[in-house]
Amino acid sequence: MRLLVTGGAGFIGANFVHRTVRERVGVSVTVLDALTYAGSRESLGPVADEIRLVEGDVADESLVDRLVAESDAVVHFAAETHVDNALADPAPFVRSNVVGTFSVLEAVRRHRVRLHHVSTDEVYGDLPFDPTVRFTAQTPYNPSSPYSATKASADLLVRAWVRSYGVHATISNCSNNYGPYQHIEKFIPRQITNILTGRRPKLYGAGANVRDWIHVDDHNSAVWRILDAGVAGSTYLIGADGEHDNLSVMQLILQLMGRGPDEFDHVPDRPGHDRRYAIDSGMLRGELGWAPKHTDLTEGLADTIQWYRANQWWWGPLKERVEACYAERGQ
């Protein structure tokens, strides 16, 4: 298989590329990435000699067309993803997430290439604090932020191209990921790297918001399962039953790093902060036989903390700039 991975130098995409090189003999990988602040060559360093990396914009139609024409399948990770950045300036999100997805769709339509589109549970909005209610593939879209609105737009484009043009595509909507190579602007690595650099961790509001955490390796194993056996036109929700409120996650990080449970600062809550996400992954598990392996958050966080301890060369140069941006927002 000749596989094109858009956004393959970002957090989830880079981990997907590592997994593919490690486990999929005979798959040749081309990565298309704009190498913005959220993606880096360094994230692909361990596999650099075994892949082709093309620096470019997913919204560049001629470039995307050329790369898709050389491929048997496309996994589309490329996206702007940070909610705070989207609130400050939504324009890059529209370009990457909407126009970029249109560019990919037109190319796979022309060349009859298999597509898997990677999305987020944030397209569904949020849920009440009721453990009996979870997102399913039938949950109506109700995005809360410019980020989730652009991802919802991309999903709907994929669905329309499947129905109108017969594009062979699947979609996955995943819960919150954590693990190696995650940019330190995100919640879990920001707290870890704050502690490692002598800063106090920061928690939005009271920390009551609930997220459904999944290790990035489990997410990517699910993506491969969908590529192997997913039904064209289907949407699969990926989750590992990892619901925890943000305060609990914060205190678990503090515990694992030898700090007291109150050694953090509250900062003003994010506008429109979704209350709760929770994934029902029953269709993926029942139809395709997938199951997560990293189901113990304590163990997964301990491994993630160790990765950040051992790889300050990767995140250290970013830290001052990230914290300066948060300071400007009072966060």
Side-chain angles (χ1 to χ4, degrees), residues 12 79-81 83 116-128 133-145 147-153 155 159 171-178 182 186 209-214 219 235-244 246 270 272-281:
I12 303 174
E80 294 282 348
T81 64
V83 173
H116 180 68
H117 170 66
V118 178
S119 190
T120 170
D121 59 357
E122 295 191 40
V123 299
Y124 300 115
D126 59 359
L127 293 168
V133 181
R134 294 185 173 191
F135 296 136
T136 72
Q138 289 71 48
T139 301
Y141 278 24
N142 186 29
S144 305
S145 70
Y147 160 60
S148 56
T150 58
K151 289 298 290 184
S153 300
D155 291 7
R159 291 183 181 185
I171 298 172
S172 58
N173 298 88
C174 191
S175 56
N176 287 61
N177 282 228
Y178 72 96
Q182 186 170 28
K186 301 290 188 173
N209 308 73
V210 174
R211 298 295 178 259
D212 192 350
W213 294 99
I214 184 172
H219 182 179
T235 295
Y236 297 92
L237 272 64
I238 305 173
D241 300 325
E243 281 190 69
H244 299 273
N246 289 345
R270 162 190 290 162
H273 199 173
D274 287 338
R275 293 168 296 178
R276 173 176 171 257
Y277 304 147
I279 288 283
D280 180 347
S281 58

Side-chain angles (χ1 to χ4, degrees), residues 148-208:
S148 56
T150 58
K151 289 298 290 184
S153 300
D155 291 7
L156 294 176
L157 287 174
V158 175
R159 291 183 181 185
W161 261 241
V162 169
R163 181 165 177 173
S164 298
Y165 302 118
V167 166
H168 186 178
T170 47
I171 298 172
S172 58
N173 298 88
C174 191
S175 56
N176 287 61
N177 282 228
Y178 72 96
Y181 296 103
Q182 186 170 28
H183 195 283
I184 56 172
E185 68 184 3
K186 301 290 188 173
F187 176 64
I188 286 177
R190 186 187 181 202
Q191 313 319 321
I192 294 170
T193 57
N194 273 2
I195 294 170
L196 291 176
T197 56
R199 296 174 169 90
R200 285 175 68 86
K202 310 292 184 184
L203 184 69
Y204 284 127

Side-chain angles (χ1 to χ4, degrees), residues 19 52 68 103 140 163 202 206 244:
R19 183 186 190 93
R52 177 172 64 142
V68 169
S103 173
R163 181 165 177 173
K202 310 292 184 184
H244 299 273

Side-chain angles (χ1 to χ4, degrees), residues 5 25 71 102 110 146 174 195 229 235 247 261 276 280 282 306 309:
V5 182
V25 177
S71 305
F102 169 76
R110 279 189 293 269
C174 191
I195 294 170
T235 295
L247 176 59
R276 173 176 171 257
D280 180 347
Q306 181 55 38
R309 284 190 192 278

Side-chain angles (χ1 to χ4, degrees), residues 261-290:
D262 299 319
E263 290 187 44
F264 66 92
D265 296 329
H266 292 275
V267 295
D269 210 351
R270 162 190 290 162
H273 199 173
D274 287 338
R275 293 168 296 178
R276 173 176 171 257
Y277 304 147
I279 288 283
D280 180 347
S281 58
M283 178 177 170
L284 175 64
R285 299 183 191 216
E287 183 179 305
L288 302 187
W290 173 84

Side-chain angles (χ1 to χ4, degrees), residues 218-237:
D218 283 332
H219 182 179
N220 286 326
S221 73
V223 170
W224 261 113
R225 187 67 193 131
I226 296 166
L227 270 176
D228 287 336
V231 176
S234 293
T235 295
Y236 297 92
L237 272 64

